Amino acid sequence: KMRIIAIITGRGGSKRILKKNIKAFCGRPIIAYSIEAAIKSNLFDEVMVSTDDKEVAEIAISYGAKVPFYRSYENSNDYATTADVLLEVIEKYEENGDKFDIVCCIYPTAPFISETVLINAHDNLIKTSANALVPVVKFSYPPQRCLCINDNKLKYKYPENINKRSQDLENLYHDAGQFYFVKTKEFKIHKKLVLENTLSYIMSELEVQDIDNLEDWKIAELKYNLKQERL
């Protein structure tokens, strides 16, 4: 059996939304949703939170995650990448003789994540020879028709697409910003989450919300409540 670790990246510092990773979202710390989905999926040999913050660690442990060590200072600033954080965790575990075949990185601000989505995504990866899987969502408006502003004047960025029908434009997607599955061996070689052989897992706009500011946060809560009503 393949050994799998869920690494939830939950540092303490946040500039735009204070204590973002533990702020109450629909009544519970937002990180709780990621932890509970990971635990309920029964996919993981270890569900851990990588943090530099004591308060985040205490909340994570109270919801069932492990915090076996604190994140290093160099990987706790605004410039540390997700890949840097994951590599640090993998190396720490391997120092203790604990090796994992697959890593699932889960963001702490992903309240729409569910055990079902994690299970389905994992199964899709295992059924193929892919090295990674990333959830994506289709852009609701075709980016090929985007506008830009130069010297206060509005212009089409790609004027050749003005008269093309929407259905004739290629569907484009963006990262859902929720989780990533990656095979550890390949990840350690390439040190990135989107590898050459990466599967997509397409999600709907109702299941995805980027949370960068308080306006995003309110939209995410509205979406979450709407989703709950539909269940």
Short mmCIF file of all heavy atoms in Angstrom, two decimals, residues 6 99 170 191 205-206 209 213:
data_model
loop_
_atom_site.label_atom_id
_atom_site.label_comp_id
_atom_site.label_asym_id
_atom_site.label_seq_id
_atom_site.Cartn_x
_atom_site.Cartn_y
_atom_site.Cartn_z
N ALA A 6 -0.94 14.08 4.23
CA ALA A 6 -1.62 15.35 3.94
C ALA A 6 -0.88 16.44 4.70
O ALA A 6 -0.73 16.37 5.92
CB ALA A 6 -3.08 15.30 4.38
N LYS A 99 8.82 7.66 5.40
CA LYS A 99 8.75 8.03 3.98
C LYS A 99 7.33 7.88 3.44
O LYS A 99 6.61 6.97 3.84
CB LYS A 99 9.71 7.16 3.17
CG LYS A 99 11.17 7.43 3.53
CD LYS A 99 12.12 6.81 2.53
CE LYS A 99 13.55 7.23 2.85
NZ LYS A 99 14.52 6.72 1.87
N GLU A 170 -10.83 28.55 -27.05
CA GLU A 170 -10.41 27.43 -26.21
C GLU A 170 -10.82 27.66 -24.75
O GLU A 170 -10.70 28.79 -24.25
CB GLU A 170 -8.88 27.29 -26.28
CG GLU A 170 -8.32 26.14 -25.48
CD GLU A 170 -6.79 26.13 -25.45
OE1 GLU A 170 -6.17 27.09 -25.95
OE2 GLU A 170 -6.24 25.17 -24.90
N LYS A 191 10.74 19.79 -7.77
CA LYS A 191 10.44 20.84 -6.79
C LYS A 191 9.32 21.79 -7.24
O LYS A 191 9.37 23.00 -7.03
CB LYS A 191 11.70 21.64 -6.44
CG LYS A 191 12.79 20.78 -5.79
CD LYS A 191 14.05 21.57 -5.55
CE LYS A 191 15.09 20.80 -4.75
NZ LYS A 191 15.44 19.48 -5.26
N GLU A 205 -17.62 26.56 -10.24
CA GLU A 205 -17.37 27.85 -9.56
C GLU A 205 -18.01 27.91 -8.18
O GLU A 205 -17.57 28.68 -7.32
CB GLU A 205 -17.88 29.00 -10.42
CG GLU A 205 -16.91 29.36 -11.53
CD GLU A 205 -17.06 30.81 -11.96
OE1 GLU A 205 -16.70 31.70 -11.17
OE2 GLU A 205 -17.57 31.02 -13.07
N LEU A 206 -19.04 27.14 -7.96
CA LEU A 206 -19.69 27.14 -6.64
C LEU A 206 -18.84 26.45 -5.58
O LEU A 206 -19.06 26.61 -4.40
CB LEU A 206 -21.06 26.46 -6.70
CG LEU A 206 -22.28 27.36 -6.79
CD1 LEU A 206 -23.56 26.54 -6.74
CD2 LEU A 206 -22.30 28.41 -5.66
N GLN A 209 -13.42 29.38 -4.31
CA GLN A 209 -13.37 30.82 -4.08
C GLN A 209 -11.98 31.19 -3.58
O GLN A 209 -11.53 30.70 -2.55
CB GLN A 209 -14.42 31.26 -3.05
CG GLN A 209 -14.39 32.74 -2.72
CD GLN A 209 -14.70 33.64 -3.91
OE1 GLN A 209 -15.61 33.36 -4.68
NE2 GLN A 209 -13.94 34.71 -4.07
N ASN A 213 -8.96 38.78 0.29
CA ASN A 213 -9.34 39.96 1.08
C ASN A 213 -10.70 39.70 1.74
O ASN A 213 -11.32 38.66 1.52
CB ASN A 213 -9.36 41.22 0.20
CG ASN A 213 -10.23 41.03 -1.03
OD1 ASN A 213 -11.38 40.56 -0.93
ND2 ASN A 213 -9.71 41.38 -2.20
#
